[in-house]
Amino acid sequence: KQYKVAVVGATGAVGEVMLSILAERKFPVGELVALASERSAGEEVKFGGRDVVVQDLATFDPTGVDIALFSAGGSISKEYAPKFAAAGAVVIDNSSAFRYDADVPLVVSEVNPDQVANRPRGIIANPNCSTMQMLVALGPIHRKVGIERINVATYQSVSGAGRSGLEELGRQTGALLNFQQAEPERFQVQIAFNLIPHIDEFMDNGFTKEEMKLIWETRKILGDDSIQVNPTAVRVPVFFGHSEAVNVETKVKITPEEARELLKTAPGVEVVDERKPGGYPTPVTHASGKDAVYVGRIRDDLSHPRGLNLWIVSDNIRKGAALNAVQIAELVVAER
Ligand code: A2P
Ligand code: 11C
């Protein structure tokens, strides 16, 4: 069977990669509909070597769409995803609009693929990029020895903020190298040659929403509300690829050697862990443009008898967003 597939936000940083991954993985697309705002209606986007004309989401009739991949922000998802679902489409939503609703599954394809079937509203949520890559690596460890607590500091690239984030890092870097001012627009303060410990809005408890997503989503995806997560999320001047320094406390001790062996065969994971210069993953040398979640620097926690340290790097636009959404779509079509 061939499917009518809609990509909402097709001109965005994630939407563009959704289109290329659908083509790359030979998803059975009969008809591809590219949707965005009226600003880009009439423009063309690439899909598998063809040009597809972008249509205006606001005036598009979703009747007949089988699968809709949404990545145009939370407010667009809130308004339009239920309309697509009511018209019969399975919606795979990359925003945070529905992630915490009990009747919407939140799925990492390697970790809880069985949850895809649990979708009374016809909507499946795609996790936030920082949770996604962390759980591709930690899911197998949790299954094997049980995780009690996760301490994580993230190093998140500007592409997480969309096309305007990429443009801002480029523009500011160019300006500063030419001894000009770098005014912040998309980010709160200068991002070029800087770090910003602030992603998404502040919550009443002093955490940012990006940090709270790591807590809420980890518990929902692993199906265990007892897991403690202590996150700090930081934006860094990297174009593609989020990195995470992760410390886990497990119920049963797992040695670095055991963790390395376990992760070597874990789906979606590549272990890069040699104790020499360059023997670890970085966004530029390993992750950018690639599908895997790379894990390195696996070592004991000298301060805790059941602690383990890992360094986890992945392309936030691919596994962190577009790739997992397409993998969910693959699980949906495999049901039929
Ligand atoms: P557009 O290019 O027409 O603004 P990014 O995350 O890279 O900034 O991309 C956001 C995506 O969401 C773009 O494809 C953008 O389309 C789309 N989008 C933003 N606002 C709307 C809207 N009101 N209706 C439909 N799509 C929207
Ligand atoms: C970032 N993680 O890096 C964000 C982007 O909840 O889907 C994705 C936000 C989300 O800025």
Side-chain angles (χ1 to χ4, degrees), residues 8-15 35-41 43 54 56-58 71-73 76 80 159-164 186:
V8 179
T11 54
V14 173
L35 298 164
S37 78
E38 64 173 357
R39 291 180 294 275
S40 36
E43 286 176 14
V54 177
D56 179 5
L57 173 66
S71 195
I76 298 296
Y80 291 95
S159 52
R163 222 177 262 298
S164 57
R186 179 64 179 82

Side-chain angles (χ1 to χ4, degrees), residues 2 24 40 47 54 61 89 108 130 148 154 171 274 292:
Q2 300 271 295
E24 215 174 86
S40 36
F47 173 63
V54 177
D61 175 4
V108 180
S130 42
E148 276 178 358
T154 71
R171 182 175 52 75
E274 291 180 275

